[in-house]
Amino acid sequence: MAENTAVLATYGLQKAYGACMALDGANMMVRRGDIYGLVGRNGAGKTTLMRMVTGQSQPTGGEMELFGASGKNMRPQRRRTGAMIEIPSFSPFLTARENLEYYRLQRGIPGKQTVDEVLELVDLAGTEKKKFKAFSLGMKQRLGLALALMNHPDFLILDEPINGLDPEGVAEFRHLLRQLNQERQTTILISSHILSELSAIATRYGFMEQGRILEEISAQALHDKCRTCLRLEVDDASRAAAILQTELGTDKFEVLPGNVIQLYDCLDDPKRASYALAQNGVALLAMEQKGANLEAYFLNLIGGGRHA
């Protein structure tokens, strides 16, 4: 598969429950190598979409492709995926190894050593005698991830995997996902309400609201949009741009419509910019410092409202 080939693509995907549209024409694309962060409030449709990708639910409209296959041809392609939509049903009285061995046999996954490999990968190799009922939430999450990894998936689908973890658990989980992505080239689709943590690992985002994908954007493009800047509203943007280059010696700015310039320099001393413009006959009508994090960007995109 070539770089940037779509692992998952949806076209106008719909899911109706009576009169309620859980998905209402969702268009998204997850490319090979992405850590795709799916951002949305409760009820936005994230889990519904993931269930469709894994075959747990069927769409009522639209189309979906997995590794380039659609319809019934997706069934064999789903063997290349691993998913943790919720913590699987593990036996409380079995150890991690015993639970995974049960699922390995049930799913027909070859190689008994596979269980030891994934337990090592998720840092549960030293829990031979501990029963599942005695596991912490973080250990349960890691065991769920181990189960999702047993078939060595090319595409990993995780719904709120870090929900409820303590900071140490979140950091460990984040490190493991990066390791899978970088060392095994595993493509990852992950949803989370902990947006600050999602921003620490995602390479691409999809912002979801009311069953639709409002925007898809790379992490770099989002960083560029959210980084702190001075927003200058002037009477002549072309002249102002020339002055910033010649007088301040900077090209760290963007000229936007409406005689607006976003300046990514002079943030510690904005008076330098205003003085240079005034001295050279450019009227500065307004100046403000702007910047946003992932949460603020999302809330602005959906028009405000409650964060979930």
Side-chain angles (χ1 to χ4, degrees), residues 74-111:
M74 282 195 298
R75 291 177 184 173
Q77 299 300 333
R78 284 197 171 103
R79 296 176 193 149
R80 301 172 62 184
T81 69
M84 190 170 73
I85 306 298
E86 54 192 18
I87 296 179
S89 179
F90 291 117
S91 171
F93 302 104
L94 296 181
T95 65
R97 178 176 284 105
E98 290 168 342
N99 269 296
L100 291 187
E101 180 64 11
Y102 166 79
Y103 277 110
R104 186 187 72 81
L105 294 172
Q106 185 188 62
R107 297 179 181 183
I109 298 173

Side-chain angles (χ1 to χ4, degrees), residues 97 100-101 104 111-119 150:
R97 178 176 284 105
L100 291 187
E101 180 64 11
R104 186 187 72 81
K112 194 169 184 177
Q113 75 281 359
T114 299
V115 170
D116 290 326
E117 289 173 0
V118 293
L119 285 174
M150 277 211 301

Side-chain angles (χ1 to χ4, degrees), residues 248-275:
L248 298 183
T250 183
D251 57 2
K252 297 178 181 178
F253 60 83
E254 294 178 272
V255 179
L256 305 180
N259 280 323
V260 171
I261 293 179
Q262 287 192 167
L263 177 62
Y264 303 101
D265 207 341
C266 304
L267 298 177
D268 57 343
D269 189 8
K271 290 181 180 179
R272 285 182 58 217
S274 60
Y275 181 78

Side-chain angles (χ1 to χ4, degrees), residues 234-247:
V234 296
D235 64 346
D236 189 334
S238 296
R239 284 189 61 211
I243 292 166
L244 292 175
Q245 287 178 321
T246 57
E247 297 296 320

